Amino acid sequence: MTPGISPDQVRAVLAALAATYHGRGSVELGDPYKVLTATVISQRTREEQTTEVSSRVFARYPDVPALAAAEEGELFGLLIGCQYPEAKAPRLIAMAKILQEQYVGQVPNDLDALLALPGVGRKTANCVLIYAFSRPALCVDTHMHRITNRLGWVETKTPEQTEKALERVIPEDLWIGSNRLFLQHGRAVCRPGIPRCSRCPVRFGCAYGQDSETAKR
Ligand code: SF4
């Protein structure tokens, strides 16, 4: 726990974010195959493009066996619109083949097994645990990394460091759904560059918002 940050303060900030974003941090569980595949597609890609590309991919490859048997050039064509389709196409096929051969076509409900899949890093694996299996995990993207540093909850350089540090800051019962709240807040108010502190619902609990001259604008 960062000195001076109490669990009650963390709960107050997350409650204010939940109230502001009207349940948009709520978690909808999905088919593990679709959650995993869509999360890989979403890497470095905007949400609108992710939704569009994922819909095309799932219409053609509705399950693990179909994706494992995909022809790379055809999958590449369907992936156009997301970032790095040339890298994601072979990785997705390789991933599906491993699921087919080692997990009888199922997505494993296990962090280490997920991390061993091609194209799956900690953020993707944690998102799958949350959104496919309702497991408590911290899915730390660039928004969550930036905002929790500004809040003063962590002092870290990378999302991976932030994930480790936040495990000691955010009570575990609040892990699920926290990513969606920070995503909404990072897009609307606590943006990269200059944040909009004057309209922020959690300024009361924010080190940057309380201290910075920039934040007084
Ligand atoms: S007060 Fe400013 S820096 Fe702090 S969370 Fe709000 S917008 Fe971000």
Side-chain angles (χ1 to χ4, degrees), residues 1 8 25 32 37 49 52 68 80 110 117 121 125 157:
M1 171 72 63
D8 284 348
T37 304
Q49 274 81 41
E52 192 181 312
I80 288 177
D110 177 82
L117 296 171
K157 300 262 186 260

Short mmCIF file of all heavy atoms in Angstrom, two decimals, residues 1 8 25 32 37 49 52 68 80 110 117 121 125 157:
data_model
loop_
_atom_site.label_atom_id
_atom_site.label_comp_id
_atom_site.label_asym_id
_atom_site.label_seq_id
_atom_site.Cartn_x
_atom_site.Cartn_y
_atom_site.Cartn_z
N MET A 1 0.84 -1.20 0.00
CA MET A 1 0.00 0.00 0.00
C MET A 1 0.87 1.25 0.00
O MET A 1 1.81 1.37 0.76
CB MET A 1 -0.91 -0.04 1.25
CG MET A 1 -1.69 1.23 1.52
SD MET A 1 -3.04 1.52 0.36
CE MET A 1 -4.10 0.11 0.66
N ASP A 8 -10.27 2.72 2.30
CA ASP A 8 -11.51 3.52 2.23
C ASP A 8 -11.41 4.61 1.16
O ASP A 8 -12.38 4.91 0.46
CB ASP A 8 -11.81 4.15 3.59
CG ASP A 8 -12.37 3.14 4.57
OD1 ASP A 8 -12.73 2.03 4.12
OD2 ASP A 8 -12.43 3.46 5.77
N GLY A 25 -18.74 0.31 -15.95
CA GLY A 25 -17.66 -0.56 -15.49
C GLY A 25 -18.14 -1.95 -15.19
O GLY A 25 -17.38 -2.80 -14.76
N PRO A 32 -15.56 -17.73 -23.70
CA PRO A 32 -14.10 -17.54 -23.53
C PRO A 32 -13.35 -17.45 -24.85
O PRO A 32 -12.40 -16.66 -24.96
CB PRO A 32 -13.70 -18.78 -22.72
CG PRO A 32 -14.91 -19.12 -21.94
CD PRO A 32 -16.08 -18.81 -22.86
N THR A 37 -10.14 -14.07 -28.27
CA THR A 37 -9.83 -13.65 -29.64
C THR A 37 -10.04 -12.14 -29.81
O THR A 37 -9.20 -11.44 -30.39
CB THR A 37 -10.72 -14.44 -30.63
OG1 THR A 37 -10.51 -15.83 -30.41
CG2 THR A 37 -10.37 -14.10 -32.07
N GLN A 49 -13.13 -0.21 -33.96
CA GLN A 49 -12.51 -1.11 -34.94
C GLN A 49 -12.47 -2.55 -34.42
O GLN A 49 -12.69 -3.50 -35.16
CB GLN A 49 -11.08 -0.66 -35.28
CG GLN A 49 -10.99 0.37 -36.37
CD GLN A 49 -11.27 1.76 -35.85
OE1 GLN A 49 -10.81 2.10 -34.77
NE2 GLN A 49 -12.02 2.55 -36.58
N GLU A 52 -15.89 -4.09 -34.89
CA GLU A 52 -16.18 -4.36 -36.31
C GLU A 52 -15.38 -5.57 -36.81
O GLU A 52 -15.93 -6.50 -37.42
CB GLU A 52 -15.80 -3.11 -37.11
CG GLU A 52 -16.27 -3.10 -38.53
CD GLU A 52 -15.80 -1.82 -39.22
OE1 GLU A 52 -15.96 -0.72 -38.66
OE2 GLU A 52 -15.25 -1.95 -40.32
N ALA A 68 -8.68 -22.64 -35.84
CA ALA A 68 -7.47 -23.47 -35.97
C ALA A 68 -7.27 -23.92 -37.42
O ALA A 68 -6.14 -24.13 -37.86
CB ALA A 68 -7.56 -24.67 -35.04
N ILE A 80 -8.14 -6.78 -41.36
CA ILE A 80 -7.80 -5.42 -41.79
C ILE A 80 -8.78 -4.44 -41.15
O ILE A 80 -10.00 -4.61 -41.22
CB ILE A 80 -7.80 -5.32 -43.32
CG1 ILE A 80 -6.57 -6.06 -43.85
CG2 ILE A 80 -7.76 -3.86 -43.78
CD1 ILE A 80 -6.45 -6.11 -45.34
N ASP A 110 -6.64 -20.18 -16.48
CA ASP A 110 -5.41 -20.21 -15.71
C ASP A 110 -4.43 -19.19 -16.28
O ASP A 110 -4.18 -19.19 -17.50
CB ASP A 110 -4.80 -21.63 -15.81
CG ASP A 110 -3.47 -21.71 -15.09
OD1 ASP A 110 -3.47 -21.87 -13.86
OD2 ASP A 110 -2.42 -21.59 -15.77
N LEU A 117 0.25 -18.75 -24.43
CA LEU A 117 -0.32 -18.72 -25.78
C LEU A 117 0.31 -17.61 -26.60
O LEU A 117 0.63 -16.54 -26.07
CB LEU A 117 -1.84 -18.49 -25.69
CG LEU A 117 -2.64 -19.60 -25.00
CD1 LEU A 117 -4.09 -19.13 -24.80
CD2 LEU A 117 -2.61 -20.89 -25.82
N GLY A 121 -0.25 -11.43 -23.61
CA GLY A 121 0.54 -10.86 -22.52
C GLY A 121 -0.32 -10.75 -21.28
O GLY A 121 -1.46 -11.21 -21.24
N ALA A 125 -4.28 -11.68 -20.81
CA ALA A 125 -4.60 -12.83 -19.96
C ALA A 125 -5.51 -12.42 -18.80
O ALA A 125 -6.50 -13.11 -18.49
CB ALA A 125 -3.31 -13.45 -19.42
N LYS A 157 6.55 2.78 -13.62
CA LYS A 157 6.94 3.19 -14.98
C LYS A 157 6.20 2.42 -16.07
O LYS A 157 6.13 2.88 -17.20
CB LYS A 157 8.45 2.94 -15.16
CG LYS A 157 9.32 3.69 -14.18
CD LYS A 157 9.86 4.96 -14.82
CE LYS A 157 10.86 5.66 -13.91
NZ LYS A 157 10.26 6.77 -13.20
#
